[in-house]
Amino acid sequence: MNWKKKALTLLAAVLLIALAACSGGGSKESGGSGKEDSGKGSKPIVIKFSHVTSIDSVKGKAAERFKELVEEKTGGKATVEVYPSSQLYGDNDELDALVSGNVHMIAPSVTKMVKLDPRWQYVDMPFLFKDQEHVHKFFESDVAKTLLNSDQLAANDIMGLAFWENGFKHFTNNERPIQKPEDMKGLKFRAQAGKVLEAQFKALGAGSATIAFGETYAALQQGTVDGQENTYNNMDTQKYQEVQKYMTISEHGRLDYAIFVNKSFWEGMPDDIRAQVEEALKEATELEWKLAKEENDKSLDNLKNSGKMEVLELTADERAAFEKALQPVYDEFEDVITKELIDGIRNLK
Ligand code: LMR
C-alpha cells in the first residue's frame, strides 16, 4: 500500500466512526429529551408513565390501552412503561418527578396540581358539575384548555395534553350513616390535597388530613381517619368496603384527571412519532371516558353486593341541605379558583 492509499483508508475509517456516532450510538434509553431517541436507531423512545391507582382501575386500564396503541401506531419506535399503584412515585413525589424528567407522563387527580396552580381545585367546588355530560363539555371547552396550557405549567417545564375522567365522589365512614350535614360533625376524613377540600370538611363540621392515595387503605384500617371521599371505582379497586361501614351517595364533588407530560421530553420527540403518540392518546382518551361510566357502574354494584358496606342515598331535600352547608366554600374560594373559571363551567350546563 502506498502512502496515498493508506491515507485514504484512514480517512474512510474516521468517517465511518463519526457516522456511527451520529446515528444514535450514543442515545439515552430514557429520561433525556425524546430527540435523542429518534427511533431511527435500534432503541425505541421510552415514555415512562407513572400513576397511583391499580392496574384494574379506570385509569389503570386506559393507561395499558394507551401503551398498546403507542406501540401499534409507532410500529415499536416508541414504547410506554406504565408504573401503576405508586410503584415508582406516589402523590408526594410524582409531580416533582415529572418536572425533573424522571418520568415523562403522569395522570394525577387534577386537584393535586394545586402545588403549581390553585385553580385546579375547581374540581372540588361543591356540586359544581351537574352530570357526566356537563363534565365532558368542560373537558372540551376553551376554559379547560387554558388550564392545560397555562404559564404556571410551562414555567415548570410541563404541559397538559388531555383530560381523563373518573367520576363523582361520595362520602364513606366507619362511625355512622350520613344523611344530613350534621352527621359529619366531629368525624375526621382523608383528603387528597389543598385548602378547598379542607374548607369543605370544615364547613360540614368535620376535620381532615391530607393522606397519599397509596396510604389511605391503611389509614382507614388503623383508624387514623374515620372516613374518606372517593369515586365508586377507586373505593372498589382499593377494597375500601373492607374497612368502611357506611357510604352515602352524595355526588358532592368530582375526581377527574389530566394527562401531563414533561415539556422538553415531549417537544424533543421527532415530529412524526409525537403525532402518532398524540393519536394514540386521543383514542385512549375516548376509551377512558367510556370506561369511566362503565367501571363506576360496575363498582357501585360491587360495593352494594359486598355485604360489608351499607349504601345510603340522599333525598332531594337532604342533598339541598348539603349544598347549602357547603356554600361558604364558594365565598372563600371564588377568588382563588377565579370567577371566570367557575362561571365558565356553570355556563356550559
Ligand atoms: C385519590 O387520591 O383519592 C385519587 O386522586 C387517586 C386517583 O388517582 O384516582
Side-chain angles (χ1 to χ4, degrees):
M1 214 186 271
N2 63 29
W3 69 269
K4 259 191 190 168
K5 254 190 172 168
K6 272 188 195 163
L8 276 175
T9 314
L10 195 69
L11 191 68
V14 169
L15 278 173
L16 268 173
I17 291 167
L19 221 68
C22 291
S23 69
S27 72
K28 286 187 196 170
E29 196 170 12
S30 61
S33 83
K35 262 275 173 334
E36 291 159 43
D37 301 311
S38 68
K40 288 177 203 133
S42 55
K43 286 183 180 168
I45 295 172
V46 179
I47 304 170
K48 288 191 181 177
F49 183 173
S50 173
H51 70 86
V52 302
T53 61
S54 66
I55 199 163
D56 59 344
S57 64
V58 177
K59 183 161 61 180
K61 287 186 175 174
E64 291 304 318
R65 183 65 190 135
F66 171 61
K67 171 188 168 66
E68 287 169 4
L69 287 165
V70 166
E71 288 163 10
E72 264 169 49
K73 288 186 191 292
T74 64
K77 286 185 181 165
T79 176
V80 183
E81 283 177 5
V82 185
Y83 297 93
S85 299
S86 312
Q87 252 170 38
L88 202 55
Y89 297 104
D91 281 340
N92 298 328
D93 48 12
E94 74 172 7
L95 183 55
D96 291 343
L98 184 72
V99 171
S100 58
N102 287 331
V103 288
H104 311 121
M105 185 174 267
I106 62 173
S109 159
V110 295
T111 194
K112 292 174 189 168
M113 298 305 284
V114 61
K115 287 184 202 166
L116 298 188
D117 181 350
R119 290 178 304 161
W120 285 102
Q121 294 171 108
Y122 78 83
V123 73
D124 298 321
M125 296 309 277
F127 299 100
L128 181 57
F129 289 94
K130 210 176 60 174
D131 50 27
Q132 195 190 27
E133 202 188 321
H134 186 192
V135 173
H136 287 179
K137 271 193 197 160
F138 167 67
F139 287 170
E140 288 167 337
S141 70
D142 289 340
V143 265
K145 285 185 191 118
T146 60
L147 284 172
L148 292 179
N149 301 314
S150 75
D151 294 343
Q152 290 91 326
L153 297 187
N156 285 279
D157 198 23
I158 62 180
M159 59 195 279
L161 296 181
F163 280 89
W164 280 12
E165 180 183 353
N166 192 323
F168 283 101
K169 291 182 297 183
H170 314 277
F171 295 120
T172 69
N173 86 99
N174 248 339
E175 289 296 314
R176 60 184 90 107
I178 289 171
Q179 292 286 162
K180 48 189 187 311
E182 301 84 78
D183 296 331
M184 300 280 285
K185 270 211 175 90
L187 299 179
K188 189 168 175 190
F189 287 82
R190 175 264 172 173
Q192 295 179 78
K195 295 278 175 213
V196 172
L197 290 180
E198 199 182 306
Q200 167 197 273
F201 287 113
K202 201 166 156 222
L204 297 171
S208 63
T210 298
I211 297 175
F213 187 61
E215 290 156 27
T216 299
Y217 181 96
L220 295 168
Q221 190 177 40
Q222 289 158 16
T224 316
V225 284
D226 305 302
Q228 61 86 47
E229 49 162 22
N230 224 311
T231 63
Y232 302 134
N233 187 251
N234 273 353
M235 297 192 226
D236 179 33
T237 52
Q238 293 295 307
K239 306 268 173 284
Y240 289 172
Q241 59 271 42
E242 294 173 357
V243 288
Q244 291 282 268
K245 291 195 190 119
Y246 308 100
M247 174 171 80
T248 299
I249 300 184
S250 46
E251 297 189 336
H252 60 279
R254 290 286 308 178
L255 194 157
D256 293 308
Y257 309 118
I259 300 286
F260 297 99
V261 285
N262 178 284
K263 201 163 181 279
S264 301
F265 175 83
W266 185 251
E267 289 175 349
M269 269 199 268
D271 294 346
D272 55 337
I273 303 220
R274 192 178 49 248
Q276 288 158 343
V277 175
E278 254 163 5
E279 239 182 77
L281 183 62
K282 193 164 172 273
E283 270 184 46
T285 299
E286 277 163 22
L287 171 86
E288 205 275 345
W289 291 14
K290 215 163 115 297
L291 273 182
K293 164 107 181 75
E294 287 170 13
E295 297 292 314
N296 271 296
D297 285 353
K298 268 192 241 162
S299 286
L300 174 59
D301 288 342
N302 291 345
L303 296 174
K304 280 183 173 165
N305 297 333
S306 69
K308 293 180 178 156
M309 195 157 79
E310 193 179 329
V311 178
L312 304 126
E313 300 198 12
L314 295 180
T315 62
D317 283 350
E318 286 166 343
R319 186 182 149 99
F322 273 95
E323 271 196 70
K324 187 161 176 252
L326 289 169
Q327 181 56 39
V329 179
Y330 280 91
D331 302 337
E332 193 178 341
F333 287 95
E334 190 176 78
D335 288 348
V336 175
I337 309 297
T338 72
K339 200 166 157 37
E340 186 194 355
L341 188 51
I342 293 175
D343 288 350
I345 294 171
R346 282 203 172 120
N347 294 339
L348 293 166
K349 268 189 231 176

